[in-house]
Amino acid sequence: MKVKGTYKRSDIWLAFWLIIPTLIAIGITAFYPLGQTLYDSFFKWSLRPGFEREFVGFQNYINLFQDPRFLSSLWNTIYFTFFSVVIEFLLGLGTALILNADFKLRGLVRAAVLIPWAIPTAVSSQMWKWMYNDQYGVISIMLYNLGILEEGTPILGTPGMAMAAIIGVDVWKTTPFVALLLLAGLQTIPNELYEAARIDGANIWKQFTSITLPVLRPTIGVTLIFRTLDALRVFDIVYIMTQGSVGTETLAVYNRSLLMDNIFSPRGLFGYGSALSVVIFLIIGIFTLIYIRSLNIKLD
Amino acid sequence: MKKVVVLFAILTMVLSAFSITITMTAGAVGRELEVLYEQVAMFMEENPDITVNVLPMPNSSTDRHDLYVTYLASGTPDPDVLMLDVIWPAEFAPFLVDLTDDYDYFGLDGFFPGTVASNTVDGRLVAVPWFTDAGILYYRKDLLEKYGYDVPETWDELYTAAKDISAKEGINGFVWQGARYEGLTCDVMEFVHSFGGEIMKDGKVVVDDPEYYDNNLAAITFMNKLILDGASPRGVTTYMEEEARRVFQNGDAVFMRNWPYAWSLANTPESPVAGKVGITVLPKGPAPDGRNSATLGGWNLGINANSSPAEVEASKKLIKFLVSKEQQVYKAVYTGQTPTMVEAYNDPRTIEANDFYPDILDVFVNAEPRPVSPIYNEISREIQVAVHQVLTGQSTPERALDSLARNLKSLVE
């Protein structure tokens, strides 16, 4: 707001007119569907012709929290998010520190680590699904040979193991992205800081905790927000690899099933699915607020 | 130049007043789409006033369902002709043109009764059967012969042969579709029916009826036993049709349950098992209630209720053409997809291309539909979840059947 005085009145109006198309576009593509979904979530309703819209108030939300399938998919989502984000962050940070060091062919290595990130998720999920195949999968065979797995164990068909396998794919895919974001943050730290610290006799660990981490904090915050929000709405990896069986169903996978498989159901599940969409939205919103608050990120 | 453009515009308008364009959705499994293009070209030659646009769909039935849901929910008049999975008519019925009065126009008396029944919702015919499918048993002729086994007629015989041969050969015994998806429901229905059980009857839940409960329990227990005892690999709990086919076609299994499409693929020259494969009906369950059973699959053609009357008329013509005997034979010869019209099986061209048809004609005639219900998706999912939990060791057959009965009743009531 401080800058206002430095602009001419006509310039501010021009800026206002220029921004209007964007506001309208956001209104149509983001706020209208959001409002519609919120509205639908208060009804028992289906898209089946002749279905009478019935106002049920908060009943859909009350039912949701008594629905064992919702509760287990909520738990699965949190489990997936926690482990994938923590592992990706630690591995990504390590990778970023290595890539930040001076060595030959640094540019090439930096580009190469990005390859998993560049492959479309649907493609890499299918690829990993084959690698996990119980008969011909390269990962399965390696694990059999090492004696870690009993021969013939279906990784994606075993409770517990399936979720770990999916988290593994997500880590493989997303660590490069995390590393890249953190690397960008690392490069803003001037070398003089480290030189001064060395002269003062600070060891590597001391340099890391008193220079690298504090300067990197905003970058870490943004990275964690990006990753957590992405992980909370994970869909494609799970849907392609297991369709949500053996305890891998996440909120987004359950939501697809309500809104697409049962859209014409005479039981009126469209409103119920909308309620789930709203809950997913709220969960993601809450996580974002927690991060922004606790990491003191300024969004303006 | 301007004159030419105007003339062209007028010409197009005049022509379009007499001609009509319709859109049809289609699959692309195997040679299906290529053959359809040929058929549509023939149709357009016979009907110069109709233009048909073919809209290829994803292979997975679930993905097609998602697309149809968006077309139909939005009320768009396109596509006009919809290729529908055999389990969808009840769900999509309100969006489809009523074809009851056209029963004779399509000559449906000559079709397998089961395929017509599966397209009839509350006495209303909403789609016409295009090609049919049924679960069949594939076996390795060479291996059965080598170890002196007959083609199994009961599940117990299959179990014994699968266990014995797989152990001696170091390969898998019996592969089927055990992943948690629609295919598992098909397989479950076959096991349950062949043991004399039943899950739904006349729209009512009968899982825990005393008349069926013991047989249902025996069927699920047997499926679980196949995996526990190693007659089937533990990996079947992640297999769909193609995963099972790859294992079998690679020569790594003695028996396979699959649809007829796998036959021509297993016998291609580069297939390691070409010429060594036999097919037969799926085995019977144990006496006294045991019988053979195959789940009915297949695809039908329906018409979008939002299409204009002229488009509906043109669509009916196209459907009548595609399901005519001549075209069913053509499709059977070039795609291997099984006709829905009895007459088409008596044609020498059909038999020559698919010499196994006569042996398993009965399977197609007697194929049993999955429960018909507008909430079929929800019913099927309950069945999948209950059985998959047993197969992956998360539940016992008894507990799974109890919760299945409870959940289905809360859906249907």
Side-chain angles (χ1 to χ4, degrees), chain A residues 279-292:
Chain A
V279 169
I280 297 177
F281 173 78
L282 289 178
I283 292 174
I284 292 179
I286 290 168
F287 267 92
T288 315
L289 283 181
I290 294 175
Y291 271 130
I292 291 177

Side-chain angles (χ1 to χ4, degrees), chain A residues 47-49 69 126 129-130 133-136 150-159 239-240 242-247 249 256-257 259-267 269, chain B residues 62-63 65-67 69-70 72-73 90-95 172 179-181 233-240 243 246-247 250 252 374-375 377-378 381 388 392 394 410-411:
Chain A
L47 295 189
R48 196 173 185 78
R69 200 174 156 196
Q126 185 61 48
K129 190 179 171 188
W130 281 327
N133 181 291
D134 63 310
Q135 305 268 328
Y136 310 122
E150 197 187 318
E151 187 131 10
T153 308
I155 295 175
L156 293 175
T158 308
Y239 189 66
I240 291 170
T242 62
Q243 292 85 41
S245 62
V246 288
E249 188 167 64
R256 190 213 74 92
S257 145
L259 291 178
M260 298 303 274
D261 290 344
N262 305 329
I263 189 170
F264 300 137
S265 166
R267 292 173 58 231
L269 291 174
Chain B
T62 315
D63 293 345
H65 183 272
D66 287 2
L67 273 172
V69 154
T70 41
L72 298 174
E91 184 189 352
F92 291 159
F95 300 94
N172 298 292
R180 209 220 69 209
Y181 79 118
R234 281 160 67 197
V236 290
T237 54
T238 61
Y239 288 3
M240 301 195 198
E243 282 87 356
R246 269 182 222 117
V247 172
N250 222 17
D252 291 335
I375 55 164
N377 271 330
E378 290 155 83
R381 187 176 187 283
H388 200 255
T392 51
Q394 303 174 81
S410 75
L411 282 181

